[in-house]
């Protein structure tokens, strides 16, 4: 049985850190809620602990209630790290999260990344409505939307395996922020995956991108690492690679995909994890049967609505440093000898009606372990 000493913490500050500042956001939905309450602290002179305490005081939070937290907060196997600048949570892989390979699917991994990101946002006092919005963002009707997602899985966990995911966020340009993750096998401590993403700010009413204001930055940067921390610090790593557009004619396709009601999120548009499933729908069966997904990168270019019909297109990616040979105008990539078991593909999701680009993707596949 896993035991967590932080559940018995007596020091309020320690309990707030280790128990995810449990309940610090509860008063937002109570009668004492103040719609104008913001964290008016400077990143330079307050620690993350002090920032949350300041936030609680402004909205009238009861420290005793905060320490106890909700039932979900107390049962969740996670919390902020000691410095308050990242969040870790443990997950048990359930039987319904396992696919044909008898391991967690890539959709399961992506959903867990989304879950731990949302829990991190809640733990520092941001909204419980799933949008991870700060008080200023809610006042101005601003939301975060995914612009890019990059996931690398080195070893897929199996049913009943326990994994730990650490996440943190930091500033990324004028209109965005980035969130990174590291996945570990709890039993061995081995890093089994990494991921990074870019999110941009959008006006919920006009659906237009908007610059991240200084007021919004002040609210969330206090909870970010002081120095840049990257899940992929390597120079020229794959998360930085530009995705070329897949052009017609394509080798593989799956046409006429339609969103189900279960695919819609709280913004009333298709959840970003659904796009992963659509991308994989047009993968050739011979690859699915013999290989497993190693890397996936998605660029989100357009929102998909409930009534949209989507085409999924896939084609092999020509290696940048490969020799190109062809007959009758057709090109064939010659794979390097050490990559014979690795295959790369480009993907495109577009509207069936007018061909507008929804999502551009790239995947790498390795031979399934024996």
């Amino acid at each position: 049985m896993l035991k967590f000493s932080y559940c018995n913490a007596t020091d309020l500050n320690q309990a707030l850190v280790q128990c995810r500042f449990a309940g610090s956001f509860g008063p937002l939905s109570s009668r004492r809620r103040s719609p104008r309450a913001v964290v008016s602290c400077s990143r330079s002179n307050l620690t993350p602990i002090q920032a949350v305490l300041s936030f609680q005081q402004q909205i009238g939070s009861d420290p005793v209630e905060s320490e106890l937290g909700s039932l979900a907060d107390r049962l969740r196997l996670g919390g902020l790290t000691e410095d308050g600048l990242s969040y870790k949570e443990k997950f048990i892989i359930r039987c319904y999260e396992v696919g044909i390979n008898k391991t967690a699917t890539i959709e399961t991994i992506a959903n867990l990344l989304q879950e731990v990101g949302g829990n991190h946002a809640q733990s520092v006092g941001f909204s419980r409505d799933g949008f991870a919005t700060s008080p200023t963002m809610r006042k101005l009707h601003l939301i975060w939307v995914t612009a890019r997602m990059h996931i690398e899985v080195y070893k897929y966990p199996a049913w009943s395996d326990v994994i730990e995911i650490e996440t943190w966020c930091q500033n990324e340009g004028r209109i965005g922020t980035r969130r990174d993750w590291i996945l570990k096998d709890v039993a061995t401590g081995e890093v089994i995956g990494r991921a990074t993403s870019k999110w941009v700010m959008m006006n919920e009413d006009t659906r237009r991108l908007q610059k991240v204001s200084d007021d919004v930055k002040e609210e969330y940067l206090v909870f970010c690492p002081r120095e840049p921390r990257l899940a992929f610090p390597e120079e020229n790593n794959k998360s930085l690679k530009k995705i070329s557009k897949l052009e017609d004619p394509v080798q593989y396709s799956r046409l006429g995909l339609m969103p189900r009601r279960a695919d819609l999120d709280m913004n009333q548009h298709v959840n970003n994890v659904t796009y992963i499933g659509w991308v994989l729908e047009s993968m050739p069966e011979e690859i699915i049967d013999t290989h497993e997904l190693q890397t996936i990168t998605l660029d989100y270019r357009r929102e998909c609505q409930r009534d949209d019909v989507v085409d999924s297109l896939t084609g092999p990616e020509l290696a940048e440093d490969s020799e190109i040979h062809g007959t009758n105008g057709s090109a064939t990539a010659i794979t390097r000898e050490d990559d014979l078991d690795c295959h790369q593909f480009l993907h495109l999701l577009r509207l069936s009606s007018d061909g507008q680009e929804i999502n551009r993707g790239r995947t790498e596949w390795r031979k399934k372990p024996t």
Side-chain angles (χ1 to χ4, degrees):
M1 177 182 294
L2 295 174
K3 296 182 180 180
F4 298 89
S5 59
Y6 62 74
C7 292
N8 296 318
T10 55
D11 179 78
L12 177 58
N13 285 353
Q14 182 181 355
L16 286 170
V17 173
Q18 299 293 347
C19 292
R20 304 161 308 285
F21 300 127
S24 64
F25 30 75
L28 289 176
S29 58
S30 72
R31 293 182 180 179
R32 291 181 293 176
R33 174 180 176 178
S34 171
R36 300 180 61 84
V38 297
V39 181
S40 57
C41 54
S42 170
R43 180 188 179 208
S44 61
N45 55 24
L46 285 186
T47 67
I49 300 173
Q50 294 170 330
V52 174
L53 289 172
S54 174
F55 179 79
Q56 290 177 342
Q57 292 170 356
Q58 291 183 55
I59 61 179
S61 175
D62 187 336
V64 176
E65 293 178 0
S66 297
E67 186 174 0
L68 291 176
S70 69
L71 179 60
D73 295 328
R74 284 178 279 146
L75 292 177
R76 188 173 289 134
L77 302 179
L80 289 166
T81 54
E82 289 187 6
D83 59 10
L85 300 179
S86 69
Y87 177 94
K88 293 181 178 181
E89 186 167 350
K90 294 179 174 66
F91 297 94
I92 303 171
I93 301 301
R94 313 294 183 179
C95 64
Y96 54 82
E97 297 172 324
V98 172
I100 59 175
N101 294 333
K102 300 181 181 180
T103 57
T105 64
I106 188 63
E107 290 96 332
T108 292
I109 299 298
N111 276 318
L112 290 177
L113 298 181
Q114 189 167 263
E115 171 73 6
V116 75
N119 292 343
H120 179 206
Q122 288 184 9
S123 73
V124 298
F126 290 173
S127 67
R128 280 184 177 267
D129 59 10
F131 302 137
T133 50
S134 69
T136 299
M137 290 178 65
R138 291 195 295 278
K139 179 180 178 181
L140 300 177
H141 297 185
L142 301 174
I143 59 175
W144 295 111
V145 293
T146 314
R148 185 178 175 93
M149 175 70 74
H150 177 83
I151 305 173
E152 295 184 10
V153 183
Y154 313 123
K155 179 183 178 182
Y156 282 90
W159 178 19
S160 295
D161 282 354
V162 181
I163 65 173
E164 181 181 71
I165 304 177
E166 181 182 8
T167 187
W168 63 95
C169 60
Q170 50 206 324
N171 192 46
E172 178 84 0
R174 294 186 304 167
I175 63 172
T177 186
R178 67 176 291 152
R179 177 173 288 281
D180 288 30
W181 297 266
I182 292 179
L183 297 81
K184 290 184 178 181
D185 184 320
V186 172
T188 65
E190 176 186 5
V191 174
I192 60 173
R194 295 183 292 173
T196 187
S197 61
K198 181 175 181 179
W199 300 71
V200 293
M201 187 168 287
M202 175 186 286
N203 186 288
E204 191 173 11
D205 301 323
T206 65
R207 316 308 289 183
R208 294 182 179 275
L209 299 184
Q210 188 158 326
K211 178 182 176 181
V212 182
S213 68
D214 291 338
D215 289 341
V216 172
K217 285 184 179 181
E218 186 174 314
E219 288 177 325
Y220 77 82
L221 285 181
V222 67
F223 305 112
C224 298
R226 300 297 186 260
E227 300 294 332
R229 182 190 176 193
L230 306 177
F232 298 94
E234 303 90 350
E235 188 176 356
N236 298 322
N237 64 81
K238 295 174 183 177
S239 73
L240 303 174
K241 187 172 181 179
K242 182 179 178 180
I243 304 176
S244 302
K245 184 177 180 180
L246 184 63
E247 301 290 352
D248 287 321
V250 297
Q251 193 167 348
Y252 310 99
S253 64
R254 178 71 183 273
L255 309 180
L257 298 171
M258 298 183 65
R260 305 170 303 161
R261 289 186 177 89
D263 294 327
L264 302 181
D265 62 17
M266 289 179 282
N267 281 324
Q268 296 300 312
H269 63 228
V270 174
N271 185 281
N272 59 59
V273 178
T274 300
Y275 296 96
I276 296 177
W278 284 349
V279 162
L280 301 183
E281 280 296 312
S282 56
M283 277 296 298
E285 285 294 330
E286 58 268 26
I287 297 296
I288 295 291
D289 292 341
T290 59
H291 290 68
E292 64 180 9
L293 184 62
Q294 173 176 294
T295 302
I296 183 168
T297 310
L298 296 177
D299 283 340
Y300 297 85
R301 295 175 172 267
R302 183 185 184 278
E303 291 182 289
C304 188
Q305 308 295 336
R306 171 71 178 87
D307 297 325
D308 289 336
V309 180
V310 177
D311 293 339
S312 174
L313 312 177
T314 292
E317 179 185 38
L318 301 179
E320 292 179 355
D321 56 346
S322 64
E323 297 180 35
I324 305 297
H325 299 268
T327 58
N328 298 324
S330 63
T332 304
I334 305 300
T335 309
R336 297 190 306 272
E337 184 177 353
D338 59 349
D339 285 339
L340 288 177
D341 289 335
C342 183
H343 297 267
Q344 299 87 33
F345 291 88
L346 295 176
H347 307 272
L348 178 67
L349 297 178
R350 67 186 183 191
L351 291 179
S352 297
S353 57
D354 56 13
Q356 286 191 62
E357 189 175 3
I358 299 173
N359 192 292
R360 190 180 293 188
R362 180 180 182 274
T363 57
E364 292 187 11
W365 301 75
R366 61 172 173 254
K367 198 77 171 179
K368 286 183 181 180
T370 56

